[in-house]
Amino acid sequence: MPASINSGTIGGRGWPQRFVAFLFDSLQGRFVLAMLGGLVLVQLLINLLWYKQLEQRTTRQTELAAHHVASGALGALRALRELPATYRPLLIEQLRTMGGTRFLVFFNNAEVAVQPLPDQALARLLEGRVRQELLGQLAPGSRLRVTLASPVGLKVSPSGALLADLPDSWVDPSLLDAERPAPFLVIQAETEPGQWLYLSSAMPDPYFLEQLEFFTWQRIVPQLLTLGLALLMTLITARALTSPLRGLSRAAARVGRRANPKPLTVTGTAEVRRAIEAFNEMQERIRRYLSDRERLFASISHDLRTPITRLRLRSELLDDPAVQDEFHEDLDELDMMVKTALQIVKDTDIHENRVPVRIDLVLQKMVRDARMAGQQIELSEQPLTVFGKPLALKRALGNLIDNAMFYGANAGHTGLHKAELLMSVGAPGSPEEGLVLLTVRDFGPGVPDSALAKLGQPYTRLAHGSKMREEGLGLGLSIVRDIVADHGGALRFRNHPQGGFEVRVALPGHPVQANIPSNTP
């Protein structure tokens, strides 16, 4: 339908929209969000505090390890410096054979280029502390290099010899594992011009850098499992808490559609139980009210119809035909007023079965009756069928035609007719495809644009309408709106560009348009 037609149809939503609506628009979703958000926030705060404590402890352990390694390296450096150059290779060989030192010791004729571990603040802290302690004990101006490096591709001499090429007895092979290599601390100090002492060793805790790799799968997976379990328990709890509310909402939607609604079972929390008890009491009061109202209006109908029937019989005894006709006219009007008032109070819908209705035949009869009464009305018809309630549709269309004739007749229109009826179908491929469109136009003064949105509401009367017809109640268009909505259709009100007021009714068409017997009331 076009945008100007009020439609109650709501388009389907995909699962992302339904999921977002569940999270933010339902009590169950908001409860889950609150619980899950609180758990995530608590876990983040705990992890942050834990990480800070771990960082402080690891930093302290690194400083102690730096002091221990620096002390050992300083002792080895002093011992080798004090030996004559010819004895140094013998001592180094003896130490390697006997395992008397924790360092791999080499004398090189130049500094070896070593690539430090990248982006490791803890590694830089270790290097700085070792360098600081060694420089504090060495002679001023001593050349010193301290580097924490990966053992993979680590050189031990300027000629390119690698740490991995050394005998297994010199280096623990597990520290050189390609999947988990332990970093080695390399200390290079120039003992004499052109002589560099190369000391290399793993740390007391070879994998101390891994202690700050906090957000690993080993730590995250248990937390995710905890959150998943908490989410599952929250969903179960929220569903149990909101289940009575869902029953309450369904029962509230059924109120008015069932003659004897059953009271709800009182379950749930104290607040929900009180709400259900209040709803049951309200439902019982409504039931008693409706029952009393039915009895009241049945009594009123009986009391009013009896004197009307008695007066109608007595009017037949009048000798003057003119007076008799006036009596009949007044009694018919009074009878119709009673029927209309009772029907409005009881229900705006006429209870009848739905059948295929040739709407063009219905309009032909209504226009013929209007012309016999002296009304000027034009009908542009075509054979169209809808599936609905014949009497209800006739009542709705009759209200529209009566309004059009009244306002057209009171507008001083000088044309050949006071109202127009147009029948059409929605164009293929348009939003109106498959709809039967009925347009009723009068040639009256129209309606103020600011009042168009109010039309169709019960007891709504506009100023110019009240001046022209004081006895109206403002229920005609409200009844039309309810009947059209009950048939799955929609209404559009607008002022015609060439003057007058126009109402368009859009009703779902029946698939069979021909060879259907007419069903006119």
Side-chain angles (χ1 to χ4, degrees), residues 234-300:
T234 302
L235 281 172
I236 295 174
T237 304
R239 188 172 184 83
L241 290 175
T242 57
S243 179
L245 293 178
R246 288 194 299 270
L248 181 61
S249 65
R250 288 193 294 266
R254 290 194 298 267
V255 170
R257 297 203 299 264
R258 179 181 294 182
N260 295 307
K262 296 181 180 180
L264 292 176
T265 303
V266 180
T267 59
T269 62
E271 295 81 1
V272 175
R273 291 198 303 272
R274 285 195 293 269
I276 294 176
E277 290 171 353
F279 176 82
N280 286 338
E281 293 176 2
M282 178 197 70
Q283 189 171 245
E284 178 62 21
R285 287 195 298 270
I286 292 176
R287 188 194 64 79
R288 290 197 301 266
Y289 166 76
L290 293 177
S291 177
D292 294 343
R293 191 188 68 168
E294 291 292 335
R295 288 195 299 270
L296 172 64
F297 285 106
S299 176
I300 293 175

Side-chain angles (χ1 to χ4, degrees), residues 437-460:
L437 306 177
L438 308 175
T439 303
V440 182
R441 177 194 174 191
D442 64 49
F443 293 86
V447 174
D449 292 337
S450 59
L452 287 175
K454 301 178 182 178
L455 294 179
Q457 298 179 7
Y459 305 102
T460 298

